[in-house]
Amino acid sequence: MIPNWLLQRAYLTPERTALVFNDQTWTFREMKDIVHELATKISGYSVSRQSRVAILVKNRQTTVFLIHALQSIGAEIVFLNSRLTASELSYQIKDSGSSVLLYDQDFYTTVKDLEYLSIDLNAYSIENIMTSSQKKLGNVRSDFDLDETCSIMYTSGTTGKPKGVRQTYGNHWWSATGSSLNLGLQENDAWLCAVPIFHISGLSILMRSVIYGIPVFLMEDFNEKQANLFLQSGKVTIMSVVTATLNRMLTDLQNEIYHENFRCMLLGGGPAPLPLLEKCAAKNIPVFQTYGMTETASQIVTLSPEDSFAKLGSAGKPLFPAQIKIVRTDGKAADARETGEIALKGPNITPGYLNQKHFLQDGWFLTGDLGYLDEDGFLYVQDRRSDLIISGGENVYPAEIEAVLIAHEAIDEAGVVGISDPTWGQVAYAFIVGKAFSEEELLQFCRERLASYKIPKRFIQVKELPRNAANKLVREKLRLLIEGIK
Amino acid sequence: MIPNWLLQRAYLTPERTALVFNDQTWTFREMKDIVHELATKISGYSVSRQSRVAILVKNRQTTVFLIHALQSIGAEIVFLNSRLTASELSYQIKDSGSSVLLYDQDFYTTVKDLEYLSIDLNAYSIENIMTSSQKKLGNVRSDFDLDETCSIMYTSGTTGKPKGVRQTYGNHWWSATGSSLNLGLQENDAWLCAVPIFHISGLSILMRSVIYGIPVFLMEDFNEKQANLFLQSGKVTIMSVVTATLNRMLTDLQNEIYHENFRCMLLGGGPAPLPLLEKCAAKNIPVFQTYGMTETASQIVTLSPEDSFAKLGSAGKPLFPAQIKIVRTDGKAADARETGEIALKGPNITPGYLNQKHFLQDGWFLTGDLGYLDEDGFLYVQDRRSDLIISGGENVYPAEIEAVLIAHEAIDEAGVVGISDPTWGQVAYAFIVGKAFSEEELLQFCRERLASYKIPKRFIQVKELPRNAANKLVREKLRLLIEGIK
């Protein structure tokens, strides 16, 4: 058991700034008061302890309040990616068994298409709830149980079928404290959140804010000009980015530099390319590369700036409470520089997916990613699990796209791979076997079924797909095909 | 489970400084190598997993190595206060069921008087073990179990009979991380340890060092000149003190000031007197007052410098993972400013004393101390449990001294109280009913049975002791008697 984080933070340091959004500022005390009122109102909407509540929200102050209110009630929060289509959303809401959907008014047109809840959805927008006169007394929890599920986020995994990852209060706690042991914690710290809150990268910033007692500077959408202004102001000391957003910031920054207070650019989504590191070094921008995923409640391995050139391409070393092991195909631990599956252990790792038992193997999470450790114990990630494509910080699973494509009447077979892209890090390319097709029609077909970031950038017709003896698609060889057509 | 702290730290940051002692320096990698060799040797001395090992040691580098070696083997460490007499030591060794005693050669004359171990004690001094050729392979643990007992320290409690407080790995972990959330953690941090390692104040510094990855500057004995030099050098950023040692440092410091890197004077053992706070404020010394005990694995409540004048006399607010409740005599929670027993809750609190069940009450540790919370939730400690006397940072229990005094043939009744003292914070005064006695003889009687810091500073003969209707000693009234004789 641990004290309710916001409650405890508002008790310990009530006058510290908790949140800055659109030039408005809230202290922890002010935030606690708003959250208590909101919790009281929400509990009038059939939300109670252990309710599962799906939320479809933007990066706004109301979302921060909503998350703390749901935690105070003790509801499990299902975070929906707002870029998903109605059919993708419906699947996750149904699969998670969410009893209620709370959403930002902006998403009303998306939400009204969901055949899911029989109630009048009008009442369930955050804006309506905040302004309602509902006053049913809610039970605000004084403690959190570290083993209890706090949040659920969907990830597609190897099968292409999205699975709900359970993140406990303990996962978030150990992630936050493990990170602070690595990055330190200073009195003037403030974290810029320009990544989506529905991602673990964004949610983890909100959790750290109350645990550390530091402000979050929240941006509704990423904007390189605004982000640069924050980093030049001296008000922000840490920011989470992916390669694509960092590139845009550097381009916008031109010959300027950041304020000396800025001490950590936390870069997720794969190792940084050398030119990017060189640009950052020239501007004295301390880049901490990280490896992590929804299942590890954000970063679990990090590379500090002083190692980034000597250990180029490495993801670094684990956070203090965590461990890495490389497992060979015969199940034994690999030697240094020997490739195998990356296995992780630590208290920040999910207890498992929804409706799934036996997640860990002897306490280890087998990531499906391939990599090795060098003789100093630095991790090198060689291939993401199931050919995971990371595009603009979003996970894209080839199997999921292939399943959609094959459903099209003109298509017999489909194979999808990620190709490196200067803007997005990676983008998806689709190889198709089947009748002649119009690209525009295929695009339209995909748009109805897939979030835009998942839609292949190119559709390439081939005679046959490379398969192995067991007739399994060999995605590695698809990349070779691309070399041919480039 | 959590990785073996020293092993993990030596893996993550091998080249950082771990320890500085008498101008010698060890990195975490060097310390790990020494500790592994030492663990191998110790395991040849009948020490293995879950052995209970008593240690009688000075503040030296070998003690730091020894503690990590015993942790790596998985032995439970019984820390003996080196100021205790042979009979006090014998009691604790026997009560704890320690199978082995390891000691610094300096204590040989003390140790040889202990009728306890049949083996040749000569071999069991740290110096002999370090230089032995013993090479039995020990099993160095890769993980610690947070629920496992790491250390045992004796405290006398209400009955006057010393009890062994079990401190788990989890207690130390949560204490260290809770403290870092409060004090922050900077890249240049270094902790000066001039308090005994056999106290939780000292041991907790060693645990923080490996968990945070920061150096400990270790002093064999407290010395105000040397301590001031460290704080003026800029090499030390945090130091743990008690009122008596801080006073001596300020006197020695005269008109000088500390280096700007020095950021935290962590003051234990009761609230600071106003003149001391004023002196520190004038010299820009940031004093963090703390409340804690062996049972809470060091500080659990702290007052930050910015509150020290507005909340004069307060012990502050709890660490983030901890909670305070004031319990009235009828068992209900007290209102603001209403006095009651101080109850504490948190993962840094001991699971209990040796050989004792049912320690916590509904998850709360009833300290026996009296106090209240003000309307902002700041704790004010009004009376330490069982009239605990804190003298130079050491706990002195009146009941223990009274029991010794009554054993003297000339004494019929004895009552002991703590009186404030400019040098030691508090000292013990003894009120005695009985035949005429020679003070010198009584002192000699005490010296054979009590550590020197427990020996009363004055023996005062009275006709009768103040007792209540139930014939129980009312120590409060003894203080009034002193007012009369001052």
Side-chain angles (χ1 to χ4, degrees), chain A residues 235-280:
Chain A
K235 289 177 189 164
V236 161
T237 62
I238 311 180
M239 180 183 184
S240 302
V241 291
V242 292
T243 308
T245 48
L246 180 53
N247 265 323
R248 281 164 61 184
M249 287 171 71
L250 289 176
T251 304
D252 175 73
L253 191 62
Q254 296 184 336
N255 297 319
E256 314 256 333
I257 56 164
Y258 294 139
H259 194 281
E260 57 172 14
N261 283 357
F262 183 73
R263 68 184 187 87
C264 172
M265 189 71 93
L266 201 65
L267 175 67
L274 182 60
L276 181 63
L277 285 179
E278 282 170 340
K279 263 192 236 170
C280 288

Coordinates of all heavy atoms in Angstrom, one line a residue, chain A residues 235-280:
Chain A
K235 N 12.6 27.0 -18.3 CA 11.5 26.5 -17.5 C 11.4 24.9 -17.5 O 10.9 24.3 -16.6 CB 10.2 27.0 -17.9 CG 10.0 28.5 -17.6 CD 8.7 29.0 -18.1 CE 8.6 30.5 -18.0 NZ 7.5 31.1 -18.8
V236 N 11.9 24.4 -18.6 CA 11.8 22.9 -18.8 C 13.2 22.3 -18.7 O 14.1 22.8 -19.3 CB 11.2 22.6 -20.2 CG1 11.4 21.2 -20.6 CG2 9.6 22.8 -20.1
T237 N 13.3 21.2 -17.9 CA 14.6 20.6 -17.8 C 14.7 19.2 -18.5 O 15.8 18.7 -18.8 CB 15.0 20.4 -16.3 OG1 14.0 19.5 -15.7 CG2 15.0 21.7 -15.6
I238 N 13.5 18.6 -18.7 CA 13.5 17.2 -19.3 C 12.4 17.2 -20.4 O 11.3 17.8 -20.2 CB 13.3 16.1 -18.3 CG1 14.2 16.3 -17.1 CG2 13.4 14.7 -18.9 CD1 14.0 15.3 -16.0
M239 N 12.7 16.5 -21.5 CA 11.6 16.3 -22.5 C 11.7 14.9 -23.1 O 12.8 14.4 -23.3 CB 11.8 17.3 -23.6 CG 10.7 17.2 -24.7 SD 11.0 18.4 -26.1 CE 9.5 18.0 -27.0
S240 N 10.6 14.3 -23.4 CA 10.5 13.0 -24.0 C 10.2 13.2 -25.5 O 9.3 13.9 -25.9 CB 9.4 12.1 -23.4 OG 9.6 12.0 -22.0
V241 N 11.0 12.6 -26.4 CA 10.9 12.7 -27.8 C 11.1 11.4 -28.5 O 11.5 10.4 -27.9 CB 11.9 13.7 -28.4 CG1 11.6 15.1 -27.9 CG2 13.3 13.3 -28.1
V242 N 10.7 11.4 -29.8 CA 11.1 10.3 -30.7 C 12.0 10.9 -31.8 O 12.0 12.1 -31.9 CB 9.9 9.5 -31.2 CG1 9.2 8.7 -30.1 CG2 9.0 10.4 -32.0
T243 N 12.6 10.1 -32.6 CA 13.5 10.6 -33.6 C 12.9 11.6 -34.5 O 13.5 12.7 -34.7 CB 14.1 9.4 -34.4 OG1 14.6 8.4 -33.6 CG2 15.2 9.9 -35.4
A244 N 11.6 11.3 -34.9 CA 11.0 12.2 -35.8 C 10.8 13.6 -35.2 O 11.0 14.6 -35.9 CB 9.6 11.6 -36.2
T245 N 10.3 13.7 -34.0 CA 10.1 15.0 -33.4 C 11.4 15.7 -33.1 O 11.5 16.9 -33.2 CB 9.2 14.9 -32.1 OG1 9.7 13.8 -31.3 CG2 7.8 14.5 -32.4
L246 N 12.4 15.0 -32.6 CA 13.7 15.6 -32.3 C 14.3 16.2 -33.6 O 14.8 17.3 -33.6 CB 14.6 14.6 -31.7 CG 16.0 15.1 -31.4 CD1 16.0 16.3 -30.5 CD2 16.8 14.0 -30.7
N247 N 14.1 15.5 -34.7 CA 14.6 16.0 -36.0 C 13.9 17.3 -36.3 O 14.6 18.3 -36.8 CB 14.3 15.0 -37.1 CG 15.6 14.1 -37.4 OD1 16.7 14.6 -37.3 ND2 15.3 12.9 -37.7
R248 N 12.6 17.4 -36.2 CA 11.9 18.6 -36.5 C 12.3 19.7 -35.6 O 12.4 20.9 -36.0 CB 10.4 18.4 -36.4 CG 9.8 17.6 -37.6 CD 8.4 17.1 -37.3 NE 7.4 18.1 -37.0 CZ 6.2 17.8 -36.7 NH1 5.7 16.5 -36.6 NH2 5.3 18.8 -36.4
M249 N 12.6 19.4 -34.3 CA 13.0 20.5 -33.4 C 14.4 21.0 -33.8 O 14.6 22.3 -33.8 CB 13.0 19.9 -32.0 CG 11.7 19.7 -31.4 SD 11.7 18.9 -29.8 CE 12.4 20.1 -28.8
L250 N 15.3 20.1 -34.2 CA 16.6 20.6 -34.6 C 16.6 21.5 -35.8 O 17.3 22.5 -35.9 CB 17.5 19.4 -34.8 CG 17.9 18.7 -33.5 CD1 18.8 17.4 -33.8 CD2 18.7 19.6 -32.6
T251 N 15.7 21.1 -36.8 CA 15.6 21.9 -38.0 C 15.1 23.3 -37.7 O 15.6 24.3 -38.1 CB 14.6 21.2 -39.0 OG1 15.1 19.9 -39.2 CG2 14.5 21.9 -40.3
D252 N 14.1 23.3 -36.8 CA 13.5 24.6 -36.4 C 14.5 25.4 -35.6 O 14.5 26.7 -35.7 CB 12.2 24.4 -35.6 CG 11.7 25.7 -35.1 OD1 11.2 26.5 -35.9 OD2 11.8 26.0 -33.9
L253 N 15.3 24.8 -34.8 CA 16.2 25.5 -33.9 C 17.3 26.2 -34.6 O 17.8 27.3 -34.1 CB 16.9 24.4 -32.9 CG 17.6 25.0 -31.7 CD1 16.7 25.7 -30.8 CD2 18.3 23.8 -31.0
Q254 N 17.7 25.8 -35.8 CA 18.7 26.4 -36.6 C 20.0 26.6 -35.8 O 20.5 25.7 -35.2 CB 18.2 27.7 -37.2 CG 17.1 27.3 -38.2 CD 16.6 28.5 -39.0 OE1 16.7 29.7 -38.5 NE2 16.0 28.3 -40.2
N255 N 20.4 27.9 -35.6 CA 21.7 28.1 -34.9 C 21.6 28.4 -33.4 O 22.5 28.7 -32.8 CB 22.5 29.2 -35.6 CG 22.8 28.9 -37.0 OD1 23.2 27.7 -37.3 ND2 22.7 29.8 -38.0
E256 N 20.3 28.4 -33.0 CA 20.1 28.6 -31.5 C 20.5 27.4 -30.7 O 20.7 26.3 -31.2 CB 18.7 29.0 -31.3 CG 18.1 30.0 -32.3 CD 17.9 31.3 -31.7 OE1 17.8 31.4 -30.4 OE2 17.9 32.3 -32.4
I257 N 20.6 27.7 -29.4 CA 20.8 26.5 -28.5 C 19.8 26.6 -27.4 O 19.0 27.5 -27.2 CB 22.2 26.6 -27.8 CG1 22.4 27.9 -27.1 CG2 23.3 26.3 -28.8 CD1 23.6 27.9 -26.1
Y258 N 19.7 25.6 -26.5 CA 18.8 25.5 -25.4 C 19.4 26.1 -24.2 O 20.6 26.3 -24.0 CB 18.4 24.1 -25.1 CG 17.6 23.4 -26.3 CD1 17.8 22.1 -26.7 CD2 16.6 24.2 -27.0 CE1 17.1 21.5 -27.7 CE2 15.9 23.6 -28.0 CZ 16.1 22.3 -28.4 OH 15.4 21.8 -29.4
H259 N 18.5 26.4 -23.2 CA 18.9 27.0 -21.9 C 19.7 26.0 -21.2 O 19.5 24.8 -21.3 CB 17.6 27.3 -21.1 CG 17.9 28.2 -20.0 ND1 18.4 27.7 -18.8 CD2 17.7 29.6 -19.8 CE1 18.5 28.7 -17.9 NE2 18.1 29.9 -18.5
E260 N 20.7 26.4 -20.4 CA 21.5 25.5 -19.6 C 20.8 24.6 -18.6 O 21.2 23.6 -18.2 CB 22.7 26.2 -18.9 CG 22.2 27.3 -18.0 CD 23.3 27.9 -17.1 OE1 24.4 27.7 -17.4 OE2 22.9 28.6 -16.1
N261 N 19.6 25.1 -18.2 CA 18.7 24.3 -17.3 C 18.3 23.0 -18.0 O 18.0 22.0 -17.3 CB 17.5 25.0 -16.9 CG 17.8 26.1 -15.8 OD1 18.9 26.2 -15.4 ND2 16.8 26.9 -15.5
F262 N 18.2 23.0 -19.3 CA 17.7 21.8 -20.0 C 18.7 20.7 -19.9 O 19.9 20.9 -20.4 CB 17.3 22.1 -21.4 CG 16.8 20.9 -22.1 CD1 15.5 20.5 -21.8 CD2 17.5 20.2 -23.0 CE1 14.9 19.4 -22.4 CE2 17.0 19.1 -23.7 CZ 15.7 18.6 -23.4
R263 N 18.4 19.6 -19.2 CA 19.4 18.6 -18.9 C 19.2 17.2 -19.5 O 20.0 16.3 -19.3 CB 19.6 18.5 -17.4 CG 18.4 17.9 -16.6 CD 18.7 18.0 -15.1 NE 17.7 17.3 -14.4 CZ 17.7 16.0 -14.1 NH1 18.7 15.2 -14.5 NH2 16.8 15.4 -13.4
C264 N 18.0 17.0 -20.1 CA 17.8 15.6 -20.5 C 16.8 15.5 -21.7 O 15.6 15.9 -21.5 CB 17.3 14.7 -19.4 SG 16.7 13.1 -19.9
M265 N 17.2 15.1 -22.8 CA 16.4 14.8 -24.0 C 16.2 13.3 -24.0 O 17.1 12.5 -24.4 CB 17.0 15.3 -25.3 CG 16.1 15.3 -26.5 SD 14.8 16.5 -26.4 CE 15.6 17.9 -27.3
L266 N 15.1 12.8 -23.5 CA 14.8 11.4 -23.4 C 14.2 10.8 -24.7 O 13.1 11.1 -25.0 CB 13.9 11.1 -22.2 CG 13.9 9.7 -21.6 CD1 15.2 9.4 -20.9 CD2 12.8 9.6 -20.6
L267 N 15.1 10.1 -25.4 CA 14.7 9.7 -26.8 C 14.3 8.2 -26.8 O 15.1 7.3 -26.6 CB 15.9 9.9 -27.7 CG 15.8 9.4 -29.2 CD1 14.8 10.3 -29.9 CD2 17.2 9.5 -29.9
G268 N 13.0 8.0 -27.2 CA 12.5 6.7 -27.3 C 12.4 6.2 -28.7 O 12.7 6.9 -29.7
G269 N 12.0 4.9 -28.9 CA 11.7 4.4 -30.2 C 13.0 4.1 -31.0 O 13.1 4.5 -32.2
G270 N 13.9 3.4 -30.5 CA 15.0 2.9 -31.3 C 16.2 3.8 -31.2 O 16.1 5.0 -30.8
P271 N 17.4 3.3 -31.5 CA 18.7 4.0 -31.4 C 18.7 5.2 -32.3 O 18.1 5.2 -33.4 CB 19.7 3.0 -31.7 CG 19.1 1.9 -32.5 CD 17.6 1.9 -32.0
A272 N 19.4 6.2 -31.9 CA 19.5 7.5 -32.7 C 20.5 7.3 -33.8 O 21.6 6.7 -33.6 CB 19.8 8.6 -31.9
P273 N 20.2 7.8 -35.0 CA 21.2 7.7 -36.1 C 22.3 8.7 -35.8 O 22.2 9.7 -35.1 CB 20.4 8.2 -37.3 CG 19.1 8.8 -36.8 CD 18.9 8.3 -35.5
L274 N 23.5 8.3 -36.3 CA 24.7 9.1 -35.9 C 24.6 10.6 -36.3 O 25.0 11.4 -35.4 CB 25.9 8.5 -36.7 CG 27.3 9.1 -36.4 CD1 27.6 9.1 -34.9 CD2 28.4 8.4 -37.2
P275 N 24.1 11.0 -37.5 CA 24.0 12.4 -37.8 C 23.2 13.2 -36.7 O 23.6 14.3 -36.4 CB 23.4 12.4 -39.1 CG 23.5 11.1 -39.7 CD 23.6 10.1 -38.6
L276 N 22.1 12.5 -36.2 CA 21.3 13.2 -35.2 C 22.1 13.4 -33.9 O 22.1 14.5 -33.3 CB 20.1 12.3 -35.0 CG 19.1 12.9 -34.0 CD1 18.5 14.2 -34.4 CD2 18.0 11.8 -33.7
L277 N 22.8 12.3 -33.5 CA 23.6 12.4 -32.3 C 24.7 13.5 -32.5 O 25.0 14.3 -31.5 CB 24.3 11.1 -32.0 CG 23.5 10.0 -31.5 CD1 24.3 8.7 -31.3 CD2 22.9 10.4 -30.1
E278 N 25.3 13.6 -33.6 CA 26.3 14.6 -33.9 C 25.8 16.0 -33.8 O 26.4 16.9 -33.2 CB 27.0 14.3 -35.2 CG 28.0 13.2 -35.2 CD 28.5 12.7 -36.5 OE1 27.8 13.1 -37.6 OE2 29.6 12.1 -36.6
K279 N 24.6 16.2 -34.4 CA 24.0 17.5 -34.3 C 23.7 17.9 -32.9 O 23.9 19.0 -32.5 CB 22.6 17.5 -35.1 CG 22.7 18.0 -36.5 CD 21.3 18.2 -37.1 CE 21.2 17.4 -38.4 NZ 19.8 17.4 -38.9
C280 N 23.2 16.9 -32.1 CA 22.9 17.2 -30.7 C 24.1 17.5 -29.9 O 24.2 18.4 -29.1 CB 22.1 16.0 -30.1 SG 20.4 15.9 -30.7

